[in-house]
Amino acid sequence: MSQDVTTETSDMLQHEADRFKDDYAAAQAEVGKMIVGQQRVVEATLTALFSGGNVLLEGVPGLGKTELVKAMSRVLDLEFRRIQFTPDLMPADIIGTSMMSSDEAGQYRFEFRPGPIFTQLLLADEINRASPKTQSALLETMQEASVTTGGTVHHLEQPFFVMATQNPIEQEGTYPLPEAQLDRFMFKVEVPFPNRSEINEVVSRTILKQPVELQKLLDSAQIMELRGVLDKVVVADPMRDYAVRLILSTHPDTEFASEDIKRFIRWGASPRAAQGLIRAARVRALSQGRVHVAFEDIRYFAIEVLQHRVLLNYDGQAENILIAELIADSLQQVAEEI
């Protein structure tokens, strides 16, 4: 009897995995109608949204980052707002503020006016052009999906997703994001510059042809239902330990660190990165129609999970070491099982 129950449960989970695979592929294809190329960027962004994470995109202006989140809001039927970060932006411009108002009896009272952060898809455009004080307004929201103001906690409607864009640090007028802010992002994704054929396609789609009409494929309730499937994906002990050892390999004082990590890295990834690896691996497994995590699932988004959580020391900065390359070397050196 128990074997029949186990088989039935396994069949139900496989059915949910197949549905997740179909919904994920359909959403990716639909968003891809608007975004030329950038398949990796679209895949990482959808993975973060389905797993409850946030994404930081880095690239020069004009690469379609805003269009990506707009396309996602249409396909997933989610409310979307955009905040343009500037040096004079204040936290109240993001969160909202309390204003004096009067009722019919003439009594005065403070009334909270919500800011643009009260949405489901929030685009924080050029986040590193605002001061760290303003950037910090997103800390609670990105971690707890809530806003505290005037002693009152406001819970945001789920799913809530932040996609921030930042210009390369070398550009003028930018502030490096603090480590605590960076750690709130599940992924940091580098947005590559399009090649010749992709630019031709962008011009053709936006100037010479009719705009693309995107279909609504999912809604909030369906997304939250799909998130519930993630918790059922099996993560065996060796898989979990492999993710932990990958995190430890970014710390120069551990036995898993490579010589280059010991030489060029000042500080490694946080425990939150291990959580990000597992969450991303679960989405990756389901997107392939599997109900269990494999080693390749953990490796698939490892660079996006780790590269913004690892800090170079003085030697690494002086030699312009690329953290992504160090992480790629660690992926080659860390054994799957010990």
Side-chain angles (χ1 to χ4, degrees):
M1 182 67 177
S2 61
Q3 185 175 358
D4 294 338
V5 174
T6 302
T7 302
E8 182 179 352
T9 302
S10 178
D11 291 342
M12 289 179 60
L13 181 56
Q14 185 60 55
H15 175 73
E16 291 178 324
D18 292 338
R19 180 195 166 195
F20 188 104
K21 176 183 178 181
D22 293 341
D23 288 342
Y24 183 93
Q28 185 176 358
E30 194 68 18
V31 173
K33 293 179 181 179
M34 177 68 69
I35 306 301
V36 178
Q38 316 290 12
Q39 289 88 353
R40 180 77 174 186
V41 177
V42 173
E43 187 178 9
T45 305
L46 285 174
T47 296
L49 186 145
F50 279 121
S51 59
N54 305 292
V55 170
L56 175 64
L57 302 182
E58 181 172 286
V60 297
L63 299 184
K65 301 183 288 292
T66 302
E67 290 302 316
L68 170 59
V69 72
K70 284 183 179 179
M72 289 175 58
S73 71
R74 295 174 195 153
V75 173
L76 305 179
D77 195 21
L78 300 175
E79 183 183 2
F80 160 70
R81 290 186 181 179
R82 174 181 179 271
I83 302 175
Q84 177 64 52
F85 280 67
T86 57
D88 60 346
L89 192 72
M90 299 298 291
D93 298 325
I94 299 173
I95 295 174
T97 185
S98 295
M99 302 185 66
M100 184 77 73
S101 63
S102 61
D103 56 22
E104 296 177 354
Q107 298 294 323
Y108 289 96
R109 57 187 175 85
F110 282 103
E111 180 181 350
F112 178 67
R113 301 289 178 85
I117 203 170
F118 286 83
T119 186
Q120 291 181 292
L121 291 185
L122 177 67
L123 174 61
D125 208 4
E126 296 185 303
I127 188 173
N128 61 336
R129 290 209 181 277
S131 67
K133 176 182 179 180
T134 301
Q135 294 172 13
S136 67
L138 293 174
L139 288 176
E140 177 190 357
T141 308
M142 293 173 62
Q143 183 64 28
E144 309 293 340
S146 63
V147 174
T148 302
T149 177
T152 303
V153 178
H154 304 269
H155 295 282
L156 303 180
E157 183 181 356
Q158 292 293 331
F160 176 75
F161 173 73
V162 175
M163 189 180 84
T165 70
Q166 73 170 7
N167 298 309
I169 300 300
E170 293 78 11
Q171 289 196 353
E172 293 184 5
T174 59
Y175 298 84
L177 269 65
E179 289 80 5
Q181 181 84 58
L182 288 171
D183 202 31
R184 297 303 201 277
F185 289 103
M186 181 176 176
F187 291 155
K188 177 187 174 185
V189 183
E190 305 284 346
V191 183
F193 197 83
N195 57 34
R196 176 183 176 183
S197 62
E198 290 172 344
I199 295 177
N200 271 293
E201 181 64 21
V202 168
V203 174
S204 178
R205 287 190 187 185
T206 57
I207 304 299
L208 306 179
K209 295 182 180 179
Q210 293 296 322
V212 177
E213 293 294 332
L214 300 180
Q215 297 181 356
K216 294 180 181 180
L217 302 180
L218 297 171
D219 57 25
S220 299
Q222 291 172 305
I223 293 172
M224 297 308 295
E225 184 179 344
L226 292 175
R227 281 187 182 180
V229 180
L230 293 176
D231 297 332
K232 304 176 185 178
V233 177
V234 178
V235 182
D237 290 346
M239 307 300 162
R240 184 189 67 244
D241 185 63
Y242 178 62
V244 171
R245 285 185 284 115
L246 282 179
I247 301 304
L248 293 176
S249 73
T250 65
H251 289 260
D253 56 349
T254 67
E255 59 181 299
F256 306 104
S258 66
E259 291 303 317
D260 284 341
I261 292 288
K262 294 178 180 179
R263 180 181 176 189
F264 297 120
I265 296 301
R266 175 165 62 91
W267 189 253
S270 69
R272 193 179 278 128
Q275 297 171 341
L277 284 176
I278 296 299
R279 288 158 60 193
R282 279 177 154 169
V283 175
R284 171 65 180 170
L286 285 176
S287 70
Q288 302 301 304
R290 288 183 279 105
V291 296
H292 60 86
V293 168
F295 289 112
E296 59 265 25
D297 298 323
I298 296 175
R299 287 191 292 266
Y300 192 77
F301 284 115
I303 292 178
E304 284 84 355
V305 171
L306 298 176
Q307 64 180 345
H308 58 296
R309 293 181 163 104
V310 178
L311 303 180
L312 294 171
N313 58 21
Y314 178 79
D315 290 338
Q317 296 175 23
E319 298 193 27
N320 293 320
I321 297 298
L322 296 179
I323 295 177
E325 293 183 357
L326 296 181
I327 295 172
D329 292 340
S330 294
L331 292 175
Q332 296 291 329
Q333 295 183 27
V334 176
E336 291 183 348
E337 297 188 56
I338 293 182

